Amino acid sequence: MSAQDQGDAVRIANPAGPPWREPGMPALLAMTTFAFAGFAVMLPVAPMHMVALGGDELLAGLVNAVLMAATILTQLVVERMRSWMGWRVSLALACLLLGLPALGEILATTPGQVLALAAVRGIGFGIVTVSGSSAIGALFPPERRGRAIGAYGLAVAGAQLVLTPISPWIADQAGMPVALTVAGLPLVGVPFALAAGGAIARHARAAAAGGLPGGAGPAADPRESPSEERRALVRLWPPILALTAVTCAGGAITTFTPQFVPDAALTVVALFLYTAAAAVARWAVGGPADRFGADRFVLPGLAIAALGLGAIAAAISGVAGPASPVVLIGGALLVGTAFGTMQNVTLVRAFEVAGEHAKGVASTAWNVAFDAGTGIGALAIGALAAGTSFTLSFLALTALCVLVSFTLLLAGGRTSRDAVGASD
């Protein structure tokens, strides 16, 4: 192990410093910001482009569903792919596959072309999402992951905070080509990807050489046995189920707000506050999750999501009358708060229940659930709204969060009774 590797290992395991100042983290955070900037723009703009090319609500929802399907299929092989490709190449490739298709969509003239480019973007997104959370799991010991995930979450949400709300406005006012050009920002992240990948690889070598002082210990074998993977997946179902329910709501909001909110200014405000609330919550819950345990925040997160979704349904239906815009904004804030909270605590919880030997399994399962929920939310709500209304669609999402809450409560009670019986 080189002196540089040893120095990085000692510093990254130092619990005193803030996570964003650790070796490799500044470059990782910068790359993440640019990568998610392009994703943030395309999430509402690509469905808008589909509508502009003649598609209906179902096809508009299909854009992000295809994106997430490609993302999930990619996520299933990222850990193995990176074992032979390396951190630097895989992170740089992710930025290229996110940025180039966005620029290519400027030339798209048919719905099929938009869907094909969405699939390519999904491959890049699958690489960057699994790699980002895996990097946090590898760089930081368990007692620091809540704060580290919070810092990573700020990078994820930073560009989204600005670009998700205003990208529909950019497309309307400046034109679709301008919005798609902005979506090419992941290409700026390539140099940062190379730098971050090098630092993470050095830290992985240091960990493999004999563990980290005061920190994460020896690196886990990336090739867990099939039986270990299966056992880890069984233990992961509660945080994965909770995450999926909330990301269904997030996928519906980011995809269809321009459609169910007719006022452009209100759309910008709602998306901005939703994204801001998610960013603040994901950062703010990190410290308490480390201190009190991430599991304590899962059910409150689901309850907040259900309240927010019910408020949005009431606003869309007009039941709130003149107060509908205020109710809509309140609902967006609540769902955003739940979304950010659950992004943090379910990932921390996934690492906990999977065990240190199966961090790769936890990262992959968490990212698959996150993106599956986003894609299902976009597709299912699009289909339901096309056949009924957006009001009924958001009421269905409300019921989903309530149902998942009761499921987790019952499962938790059964686990507690089993533990008591075993002790007797």
Side-chain angles (χ1 to χ4, degrees), residues 106-189:
I106 296 173
L107 305 177
T109 57
T110 67
Q113 291 169 347
V114 174
L115 293 176
L117 291 167
V120 178
R121 287 190 290 112
I123 297 172
F125 194 61
I127 297 172
V128 79
T129 50
V130 170
S131 297
S133 54
S134 291
I136 297 299
L139 290 174
F140 292 90
E143 66 271 14
R144 296 189 68 199
R145 285 183 189 146
R147 290 184 292 273
I149 291 168
Y152 178 76
L154 286 180
V156 169
Q160 291 178 291
L161 181 62
V162 176
L163 293 173
T164 297
I166 68 169
S167 55
W169 179 86
I170 293 173
D172 279 336
Q173 300 299 315
M176 188 62 67
V178 174
L180 294 172
T181 300
V182 175
L185 279 171
L187 298 177
V188 183

Side-chain angles (χ1 to χ4, degrees), residues 30 71 94 98 104 141 193 219 293 312 350:
T71 296
L98 279 167
I312 291 174

Side-chain angles (χ1 to χ4, degrees), residues 297-336:
F297 298 89
V298 173
L299 288 176
L302 285 167
I304 293 169
L307 288 173
L309 291 165
I312 291 174
I316 296 172
S317 69
V319 169
S324 290
V326 176
V327 173
L328 177 71
I329 295 300
L333 280 168
L334 288 172
V335 179

